[in-house]
Amino acid sequence: MTGAGDAEIHRAVGELSAGLDAVRDRQDALDRVMNNVVREAAEDRRQMLRKLDALHERIGDKVDAIEARQDRQASDIAGLKLFRDKVGAVAALAGLAATTLAGGVWWLVLSFKTELGALARKILP
């Protein structure tokens, strides 16, 4: 090989080396960009998970409140049914007592109608 050929090979190797350095620099820049994108995506994911956890907690609180209200309403309904049943029983007993009393008075009137008629003639002129 001659000196001119060696110089040309050195120049070609230098250009190739410069090209490889440029490719390496671009690759490093792409790696930095990708690392930043991955970090940002991970942070976005963590934020979204925090928001979902907070939403889950708020929904859970609302569901607990609704369940508690339903339990209170069920208890109130049971109490009202019991009250209605008791009032019904008292009303039935009162009706039975009134009917028995009216029947007894009617029996007395029919049994003693002649005595009551005489008593009424004495009282009323």
Side-chain angles (χ1 to χ4, degrees), residues 9-21:
I9 290 175
H10 282 304
R11 184 186 58 75
V13 170
E15 287 175 6
L16 183 61
S17 178
L20 288 175
D21 288 341

Side-chain angles (χ1 to χ4, degrees), residues 16-30:
L16 183 61
S17 178
L20 288 175
D21 288 341
V23 168
R24 190 176 333 111
D25 290 342
R26 276 187 247 132
Q27 184 65 40
D28 289 343
L30 287 173

Side-chain angles (χ1 to χ4, degrees), residues 37-109:
V37 167
V38 168
R39 260 195 306 278
E40 289 173 4
E43 182 58 32
D44 288 346
R45 180 178 175 273
R46 282 190 289 274
Q47 285 179 343
M48 186 58 66
L49 288 175
R50 282 193 296 270
K51 288 179 183 179
L52 286 173
D53 287 343
L55 182 62
H56 180 264
E57 186 174 327
R58 284 197 315 261
I59 289 172
D61 291 345
K62 289 182 181 182
V63 167
D64 291 343
I66 289 170
E67 288 175 350
R69 187 172 65 229
Q70 287 175 339
D71 289 345
R72 283 193 311 272
Q73 288 173 345
S75 175
D76 291 347
I77 289 170
L80 290 173
K81 284 181 181 177
L82 181 64
F83 177 74
R84 184 188 65 202
D85 293 344
K86 286 183 178 183
V87 167
V90 168
L93 287 175
L96 179 64
T99 304
T100 303
L101 182 62
V105 169
W106 185 251
W107 178 80
L108 285 174
V109 167

